[in-house]
Amino acid sequence: MLRRCIFLLFLFVFAACDSGNSPDIDPPDDDRGYHALRQLSPFPVGAAVQAAQVQNPDFSDVFNYAFNSLTAEYQMKQNVIWTSRNTYNWAPADALVQYGQDHEMQVHGHALLWHSSTPLWLENFVGSDETFEALLLDYIFTTVQRYQGKVISWDVVNEAFNDGSGTLRETVFRNRLGPDYLARMFDYARQADPDVLLFYNDYNLESDATKRRAVLAMVDDFQARGIPIDGIGLQMHVSYNSPSLKDIKDTMQAFASRGLKIHLSELDIRANPGGDLTSLTELRALEQRARTFDIVDAFLDLPAANRFAITWWGLRDPDSWLIGFWGNPEWPLLFDADYAPKPAYFGFVEALEGAS
Ligand code: XIL
């Protein structure tokens, strides 16, 4: 509490000084004027990116300087890769995996099964449920083995639980394969690659206690039955003022207590959840900075073995999916439109400096 008060006091002094950097932190030796997260951090720090973005030299320069982990924003999803029963579109995924390798980045696979990225031909597949499952098994083997040794981890299933009730979402997977389908998909992924890390990924696990309990129950059940699962992806689409830091900490700790690796897998911090702002105010940018600090600080409280990575869902504010999703102006990421690091970036740096 005292630490937080001191930090908030610092924030307002910081605001009054109108400085972009923190007076507490040694200046970076790089002539950019800001530290690389990838150098400071004891765990990988990443961003979700698109194949075309990393071909842009301005984008690549900043992305590769700051980060050492990469997730495909959408080009490793089923509806992009699996264009028809016997055809695959690998080019964008291959390019991203290659980029990650060329720049010594960890590449996280996202996602083998997600109801929102199921190809239409599969959704409408006419054939038996057994054939449907055989197709999925084949897709998992083909995709996981293509990137074996290059992709360190996969989200095997994304967003399988309903908000509020914590019941299983009525997806084509649930409806055709029955309620135990998740266990079989994790088994198939493990059979495809004995070493790749297997994650379950979902949102609102911090704010929705019922949903969180349902996912924890699934983990407990998997572990009791010997179904492989290595980690949990907490998407962390949060706001500058909610959910509470306690809920965020308790959620990370609950999954870590099961021995899982924790991936803050799609972090973004809404600065304008009320939709009232037309530009990012200095105060709101500082509040976003404080929230970034708090989240990274909480992540650092986990045992090192449980810290998989923190991944931001995009690099620059104008690229954020949230703008289209909520239909409001939004500035939820670490860099502005000109590739300049925002106060939130320095909140991340400060949390890391505090840990070293
Ligand atoms: C979003 C991407 O950002 C968009 O570009 C795409 O059109 C739809 O998906 N939860 C997830 C991510 O697991 O895959 C979603 O990404 C955001 C919500």
Side-chain angles (χ1 to χ4, degrees), residues 4-326:
R4 189 172 167 79
C5 289
I6 293 169
F7 181 66
L8 282 173
L9 183 67
F10 159 78
L11 271 188
F12 286 101
V13 172
F14 169 85
C17 295
D18 192 28
S19 156
N21 209 334
S22 160
D24 291 336
I25 299 173
D26 294 337
D29 15 74
D30 189 276
D31 59 10
R32 289 167 199 261
Y34 65 92
H35 291 274
L37 298 176
R38 69 182 290 164
Q39 275 177 6
L40 289 181
S41 179
F43 54 82
V45 185
V49 295
Q50 306 166 12
Q53 288 175 334
V54 299
Q55 279 160 25
N56 171 346
D58 294 334
F59 187 102
S60 174
D61 177 56
V62 172
F63 174 51
N64 174 45
Y65 172 70
F67 297 98
N68 59 355
S69 179
L70 178 159
T71 303
E73 186 177 354
Y74 59 82
Q75 287 158 320
M76 292 173 81
K77 292 172 183 169
Q78 234 180 35
N79 59 343
V80 175
I81 290 181
W82 208 7
T83 43
S84 78
R85 184 167 175 172
N86 296 308
T87 56
Y88 299 85
N89 165 39
W90 299 113
D94 284 357
L96 286 170
V97 172
Q98 187 64 48
Y99 181 93
Q101 292 204 297
D102 291 347
H103 296 87
E104 292 172 11
M105 292 183 173
Q106 165 174 297
V107 180
H108 173 70
H110 174 78
L112 294 171
L113 268 73
W114 183 30
H115 64 278
S116 284
S117 64
T118 312
L120 266 184
W121 70 265
L122 182 66
E123 192 92 38
N124 300 327
F125 178 71
V126 181
S128 71
D129 296 342
E130 289 71 26
T131 307
F132 184 87
E133 182 156 350
L135 285 172
L136 285 176
L137 169 71
D138 190 58
Y139 177 77
I140 290 173
F141 267 67
T142 305
T143 307
V144 168
Q145 291 183 346
R146 181 178 186 86
Y147 298 117
Q148 190 160 11
K150 299 178 179 172
V151 166
I152 187 178
S153 48
W154 275 99
D155 292 328
V156 179
V157 183
N158 192 29
E159 302 183 355
F161 290 85
N162 284 313
D163 299 327
S165 65
T167 51
L168 272 184
R169 206 187 275 273
E170 297 271 324
T171 65
V172 68
F173 309 118
R174 157 75 183 81
N175 293 340
R176 275 187 172 267
L177 308 177
D180 202 29
Y181 81 94
L182 283 116
R184 300 212 292 287
M185 298 303 122
F186 276 76
D187 259 336
Y188 296 160
R190 173 57 69 240
Q191 287 168 33
D193 181 347
D195 298 320
V196 74
L197 297 171
L198 306 178
F199 281 73
Y200 175 73
N201 194 55
D202 214 329
Y203 64 91
N204 278 5
L205 299 184
E206 318 76 38
S207 55
D208 184 336
T210 310
K211 191 175 178 184
R212 176 168 69 239
R213 274 194 292 275
V215 177
L216 284 166
M218 178 193 75
V219 171
D220 292 341
D221 170 59
F222 275 22
Q223 292 182 335
R225 288 196 285 153
I227 307 293
I229 180 166
D230 301 293
I232 182 79
L234 304 173
Q235 291 186 7
M236 296 288 283
H237 297 294
V238 298
S239 293
Y240 77 95
N241 57 353
S242 76
S244 74
L245 185 58
K246 180 178 184 328
D247 284 342
I248 291 173
K249 284 184 173 174
D250 289 352
T251 304
M252 289 195 238
Q253 295 290 345
F255 285 99
S257 76
R258 269 74 176 176
L260 295 187
K261 296 184 186 303
I262 311 295
H263 186 194
L264 305 189
S265 57
E266 304 184 15
L267 179 59
D268 40 33
I269 302 177
R270 292 171 73 191
N272 192 22
D276 50 321
L277 300 185
T278 52
S279 63
L280 180 61
T281 61
E282 192 173 24
L283 175 63
R284 192 57 54 82
L286 291 174
E287 290 171 317
Q288 188 183 52
R289 173 188 173 133
R291 179 128 271 238
T292 306
F293 176 93
D294 283 344
I295 290 172
V296 177
D297 193 48
F299 190 75
L300 283 162
D301 281 344
L302 294 169
N306 298 98
R307 291 184 221 136
F308 179 68
I310 296 183
T311 299
W312 289 81
W313 207 245
L315 180 78
R316 297 182 316 156
D317 284 340
D319 303 324
S320 171
W321 74 296
L322 290 171
I323 298 166
F325 189 78
W326 292 108

